[in-house]
C-alpha cells in the first residue's frame, strides 16, 4: 500500500513544486510593467548618465585657450601595458632659459589596443589625460581609432609645473 | 436563450447559394475549393505570425523584458519582418544530405496542420467541414507531422539532427497514447466523434464543470500530452538548444526553417483548439446554473470571442510552462508517459465509463 | 581509416564534436564525445581555442601591468584574480597594506563571488532549458555590476587592485548601494530556490547525476564549490586565510554526495555566506588610506613567490619567479577551471548528453580561465 501512497504523493508533491515555480514567473508576468529591467538604449540616450568614474576612452582636456597639461614626459607611454600610447616629444631649446626641454609634438593614442586599464591616467604627473565617459566609439575604418590627443595648435599650459 | 445572429452558417449559406445560382455546378464547387484553400493558407500564415509575436511578447514579460517594440506599433510587424527576411534568405541544402527527403520534410511538417485546420470548429457555422469522425480525423492527421521531424533529422546528415529527431519520434508516439485516451473520455461522455455534437453537448455546461474527476484528470493529462506532442518546452527535447544546438532543424535555413517554425506554432494552436473544444465548450458561452441575468449577458458576447478568449488563455498557460520549467531528460520524459500518464489515463477512462453507467454526471 | 568500434550488441559508437561553438560550452571549448546512442562513453576536452598566452605576456610586463591581464582570465572573478596577484607582489615586497584596503578588497571579492554565482545560476537554468532563470540571474548580476562600475569605473574587467591597495577609494554611494543590494538580494535568493532548486524536474535532472567521489575530487584537484560538494574541504579562505578572512565569521559549505545537485546547492549556500561576510564588513570599513606607498617601479627580490586565493570557481594560485628585475622571470597561474574540467570525463561517463550539459554547468567553466 505504501508504494501506491508514495506514487500518488510523488505526483502531488511534484505538481506542487511546479505550481510554486509558476507562481514566481507568474508574479513577474503580472507585474511586467514595474519589474522590467532592460533599458531602451538608443531612445534613452538623452537621459543616460554614465558613472563619473566610468572608463570610456582616454582624452586630453583642453581649456578655452587651447592649452593642455601634457609635458611630454612619456610616463604614460611607459605605464601602458599594451603600447597604445606613443609620445613624440622632441627636445627643443627653451628660448627663455636656454635649456633643452621636451615639448609634446604628438600624443598618439591607439584606441584599438587600449584595454582601458587606467594605468596611464594614474601615472601622469600633471593629470593631462583623463578618462571620458562616452562609450559609442564604433567606426568604419580601423585607422580612425588612432587619435592624436593634443589638438593642432595647442600648447602646454604655462601654469603646469613639471 | 441563444442568439442566432452570431451564427455564421447562414452567411456562408448565402455565399454558397449565390455561387451555385451564378455559376454552373462544377465551377461553383471549384470556386468554393479555391476560396477555402486561400483562406486556409491565409489563416495559417496569420496564425503563425501572430502566435510567434505573442510568444515573444509573453516570454519577454516573464523575463522582465519588453519584447519586440520597434517594427510597427508595439512591434506587431516584427514577425512579418522576420518572415520576410527568412523568405529572402538562401535556402541552403547541405551537400551530403539526402536532397529529396531534405526538401520534402518542411512540407510534410506544414501539411498536417493545413489539413487539420479545416476540421476544427471556430464558431457556430465557422468550420470548413464538420466530419462525423472529426476528433478521430484530427488526431490521426496531426500525427503526420512527426514524419516531417523524423525525415528532416534523418536526411540532414547531421548527428545532432538525428538525435533530435529520434528523440522526437519516441516522444510523439508515446504521448499520442495518453492524449488519445484523454480525448476518449470526452468522446465517451458526449457519445460522439463529431465536433458540433460535442459542443452541443456542452450547451448546459462545459465538460470541465459537469464531468467530475475523470474530466479534470483528462484535461490535465491532455494539456501535458499536448504540450509534449507539439515539442514545446519543457518537452522540447527535439530541439533542445543547449544540448543539440537546434535539434532536427539545425541544417535548415531560409523559408524551409520558417516552415518548421510556423508549423510548431500552428500545432500549438491545434492542440489548444482541441482542448478548448473538448473540455471548455468550444465557442459555447459560459452558463452558470440558473443565473438568468449572467447567462443572458454571456450570450450577448459573440461565440467567436468566447472561443478566442479560451484559446488565448490556454496558449498563455502553455507558454507559461515553457518559460518556467527546465527541460526533461529523454528517459524521464518516457517515464512520465509510461509510468504516470498512461496508467492514469487508462484508469481514468474506466472511471469515466463507470460514472456514465451510473449516470452521475450532469 | 579509423577502425570502427562495434559494441557487443552490434551497435556502433559515434563521435560528436560539442563545440567549439555550442550553446552549452559557454565559450570556445571543444568536447569530443564518444556516444553509444545517447549514452556518453568518453568525453575528451580539446583546449586552446582562446589561448592568449597570458603567462608569457606577463613576462614582458612590469608588476603593475600584470594585474590588468588577470582580469581577462576568469572574467567573472576579476577581483579575486587581481587580489591574488596583488597579494603575491605585496608579500614579496613585504609591504603592509592599510586595513581599509583590506576591507574593500574582501567586500569586492565577496560581491564578485555573488555576481559570479548569480550569473552561473541563470546559466544553469538556461542549460537545463529554463531560459527565464537566465534573465533573473542576470538582473542580480547586473545590480552588482553597476556597483562595480560606480566605484571601479568598469563593469567586468575592473583592474581595481594595485600593489599596495586599491586603485581608488570607494565611491561615496558605495556603502549605501551595497546595503540596498543585500536587502534586495535577500528577497531574491529564496525565489531562486522556488524557481529551480525545489522544482521536481530540476531535482530529477540533477540528483544523483555526475557523481564525483571525494577521492576523485582530490586526485583531479577539483576545488571550489565543485570540490566541496564532494566533501573535499578546500576553502582557501579557511585553510590559508588571506586579507581579513581570518577575522570573519562564515562557514565553509561542505556536501558529501558529490552529485550535480550538491554542487548546485553548494553555490547557492555560498551566496548566503557571502552575504553574511559583506554584512559583517560593510558598516565597519575603517578610515584611513586605501593604498600603501609603493615605489613607482616595483622590483621584486630574487626568489619564488606563491599566493593562492579562493575565486568563485575554486583555488587560483599565482606563482611568480623573480630574478630581481622589473618584470617576472616566469609567471604561472594555477587556474581552477582547468583542474575542474579534467574531472569532467569521470563524471559524465555513462550519463546522457543532457546530463553532460547539467554537469558542465555545475562545474561553472569559464573558458578563458582554462586556456589563459
Ligand atoms: S588605459 Fe591602459 S591600455 Fe589604455 S592607454 Fe592607458 S595605460 Fe594604455
Ligand atoms: S599625458 Fe601625462 S604622462 Fe603622458 S606624456 Fe603627457 S604629461 Fe606625461
Amino acid at each position: 500500500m505504501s508504494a501506491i501512497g508514495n506514487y500518488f504523493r510523488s505526483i502531488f508533491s511534484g505538481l506542487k513544486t511546479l505550481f510554486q515555480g509558476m507562481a514566481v514567473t507568474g508574479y513577474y508576468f503580472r507585474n511586467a510593467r514595474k519589474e522590467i529591467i532592460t533599458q531602451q538604449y538608443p531612445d534613452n540616450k538623452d537621459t543616460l548618465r554614465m558613472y563619473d568614474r566610468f572608463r570610456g576612452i582616454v582624452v586630453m582636456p583642453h581649456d578655452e585657450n587651447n592649452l593642455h597639461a601634457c609635458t611630454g614626459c612619456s610616463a604614460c607611454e611607459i605605464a601602458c601595458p599594451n603600447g597604445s600610447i606613443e609620445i613624440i616629444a622632441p627636445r627643443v631649446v627653451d628660448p627663455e632659459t636656454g635649456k633643452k626641454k621636451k615639448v609634446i609634438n604628438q600624443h598618439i593614442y591607439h584606441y584599438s589596443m587600449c584595454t582601458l586599464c587606467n594605468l596611464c591616467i594614474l601615472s601622469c604627473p600633471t593629470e593631462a589625460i583623463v578618462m571620458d565617459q562616452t562609450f559609442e566609439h564604433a567606426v568604419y575604418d580601423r585607422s580612425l581609432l588612432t587619435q592624436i590627443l593634443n589638438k593642432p595648435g595647442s600648447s602646454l599650459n604655462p601654469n603646469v609645473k613639471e | 436563450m441563444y442568439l442566432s445572429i452570431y451564427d455564421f452558417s447562414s452567411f456562408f449559406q448565402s455565399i454558397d447559394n449565390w455561387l451555385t445560382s451564378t455559376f454552373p455546378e462544377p465551377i461553383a464547387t471549384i470556386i468554393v475549393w479555391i476560396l477555402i484553400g486561400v483562406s486556409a493558407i491565409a489563416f495559417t500564415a496569420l496564425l503563425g505570425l501572430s502566435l510567434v509575436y505573442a510568444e515573444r511578447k509573453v516570454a519577454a514579460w516573464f523575463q522582465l523584458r519588453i519584447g519586440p517594440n520597434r517594427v510597427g506599433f508595439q512591434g506587431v510587424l516584427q514577425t512579418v519582418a522576420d518572415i520576410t527576411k527568412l523568405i529572402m534568405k538562401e535556402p541552403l541544402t547541405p551537400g551530403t544530405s539526402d536532397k529529396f527527403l531534405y526538401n520534402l520534410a518542411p512540407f510534410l511538417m506544414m501539411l498536417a496542420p493545413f489539413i487539420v485546420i479545416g476540421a476544427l470548429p471556430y464558431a457556430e457555422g465557422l468550420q470548413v467541414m464538420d466530419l462525423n469522425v472529426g476528433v478521430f480525423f484530427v488526431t490521426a492527421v496531426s500525427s503526420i507531422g512527426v514524419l516531417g521531424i523524423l525525415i528532416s533529422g534523418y536526411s540532414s546528415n547531421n548527428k545532432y539532427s538525428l538525435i533530435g529527431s529520434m528523440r522526437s519520434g519516441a516522444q510523439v508516439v508515446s504521448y499520442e497514447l495518453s492524449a488519445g485516451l484523454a480525448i476518449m473520455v470526452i468522446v465517451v461522455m458526449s457519445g460522439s466523434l463529431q465536433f458540433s455534437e460535442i459542443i452541443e453537448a456542452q450547451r448546459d455546461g462545459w465538460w470541465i464543470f459537469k464531468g467530475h474527476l475523470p474530466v479534470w484528470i483528462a484535461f490535465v493529462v491532455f494539456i501535458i500530452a499536448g504540450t509534449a506532442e507539439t515539442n514545446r518546452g519543457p518537452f522540447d527535447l527535439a530541439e533542445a538548444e543547449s544540448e543539440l544546438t537546434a535539434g532536427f532543424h539545425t541544417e535548415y535555413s531560409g523559408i524551409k526553417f520558417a516552415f518548421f517554425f510556423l508549423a510548431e506554432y500552428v500545432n500549438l494552436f491545434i492542440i489548444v483548439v482541441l482542448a478548448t473544444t473538448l473540455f471548455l465548450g468550444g465557442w459555447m458561452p459560459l452558463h452558470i446554473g440558473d443565473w438568468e441575468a449572467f447567462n443572458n449577458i454571456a450570450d450577448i458576447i459573440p461565440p467567436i470571442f468566447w472561443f478566442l478568449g479560451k484559446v488565448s488563455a490556454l496558449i498563455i498557460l502553455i507558454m507559461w510552462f515553457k518559460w518556467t520549467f527546465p527541460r526533461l531528460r529523454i528517459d524521464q520524459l518516457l517515464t512520465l508517459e509510461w509510468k504516470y500518464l498512461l496508467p492514469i489515463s487508462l484508469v481514468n477512462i474506466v472511471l469515466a465509463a463507470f460514472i456514465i453507467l451510473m449516470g452521475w454526471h450532469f | 581509416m579509423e577502425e570502427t568500434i562495434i559494441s557487443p550488441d552490434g551497435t556502433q559508437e559515434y563521435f560528436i564534436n560539442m563545440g567549439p561553438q555550442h550553446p552549452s560550452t559557454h565559450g570556445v571549448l571543444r568536447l569530443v564525445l564518444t556516444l553509444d546512442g545517447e549514452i556518453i562513453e568518453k568525453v575528451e576536452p580539446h583546449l586552446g581555442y582562446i589561448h592568449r598566452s597570458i603567462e608569457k605576456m606577463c613576462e614582458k610586463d612590469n608588476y603593475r601591468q600584470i594585474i590588468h591581464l588577470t582580469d581577462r582570465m576568469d572574467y567573472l572573478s576579476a577581483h579575486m584574480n587581481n587580489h591574488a596577484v596583488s597579494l603575491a607582489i605585496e608579500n614579496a615586497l613585504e609591504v603592509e597594506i592599510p586595513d581599509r584596503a583590506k576591507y574593500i578588497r574582501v567586500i569586492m571579492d565577496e560581491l564578485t563571488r555573488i555576481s559570479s554565482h548569480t550569473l552561473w545560476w541563470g546559466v544553469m537554468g538556461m542549460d537545463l532549458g529554463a531560459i527565464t532563470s537566465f534573465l533573473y540571474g542576470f538582473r542580480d548580476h547586473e545590480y552588482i555590476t553597476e556597483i562595480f562600475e560606480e566605484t571601479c569605473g568598469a563593469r567586468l574587467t575592473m583592474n581595481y587592485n594595485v600593489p599596495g591597495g586599491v586603485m581608488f577609494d570607494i565611491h561615496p554611494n558605495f556603502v549605501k548601494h551595497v546595503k540596498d543590494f543585500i536587502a534586495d538580494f535577500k528577497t531574491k535568493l529564496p525565489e531562486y530556490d522556488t524557481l529551480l532548486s525545489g522544482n521536481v524536474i530540476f531535482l530529477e535532472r540533477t540528483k544523483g547525476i555526475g557523481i564525483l567521489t571525494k577521492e576523485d575530487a582530490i586526485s583531479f584537484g577539483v576545488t571550489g564549490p565543485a570540490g566541496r560538494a564532494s566533501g573535499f574541504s578546500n576553502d582557501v579562505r579557511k585553510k590559508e586565510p588571506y586579507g581579513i578572512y581570518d577575522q570573519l565569521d562564515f562557514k565553509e559549505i561542505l556536501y558529501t554526495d558529490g552529485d550535480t545537485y550538491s554542487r548546485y546547492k553548494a553555490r547557492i549556500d555560498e551566496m548566503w555566506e557571502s552575504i553574511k561576510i559583506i554584512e559583517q564588513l560593510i558598516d565597519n570599513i575603517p578610515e584611513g588610506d586605501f593604498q600603501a606607498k609603493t615605489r613607482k617601479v616595483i622590483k621584486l627580490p630574487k626568489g619564488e613567490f606563491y599566493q593562492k586565493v579562493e575565486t568563485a570557481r575554486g583555488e587560483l594560485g599565482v606563482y611568480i619567479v623573480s630574478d630581481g628585475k622589473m618584470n617576472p622571470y616566469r609567471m604561472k597561474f594555477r587556474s581552477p577551471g582547468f583542474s575542474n574540467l579534467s574531472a569532467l570525463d569521470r563524471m559524465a561517463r555513462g550519463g546522457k548528453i543532457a546530463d553532460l550539459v547539467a554537469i558542465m554547468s555545475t562545474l561553472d567553466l569559464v573558458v578563458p580561465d582554462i586556456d589563459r
Side-chain angles (χ1 to χ4, degrees), chain C residues 6-23:
Chain C
I6 310 282
S7 73
D9 52 357
T11 55
Q12 191 184 327
E13 282 178 355
Y14 64 109
F15 301 91
I16 273 196
N17 259 321
M18 206 170 181
Q21 269 143 34
H22 188 278

Side-chain angles (χ1 to χ4, degrees), chain A residues 60 69-77 85 87 104 107 120 123-129:
Chain A
M60 185 181 287
C70 175
T71 59
C73 68
S74 291
C76 52
E77 186 179 11
I85 294 178
I87 304 288
I104 185 81
H107 186 295
C120 52
S123 71
C124 179
T126 55
E127 293 177 9
I129 43 177

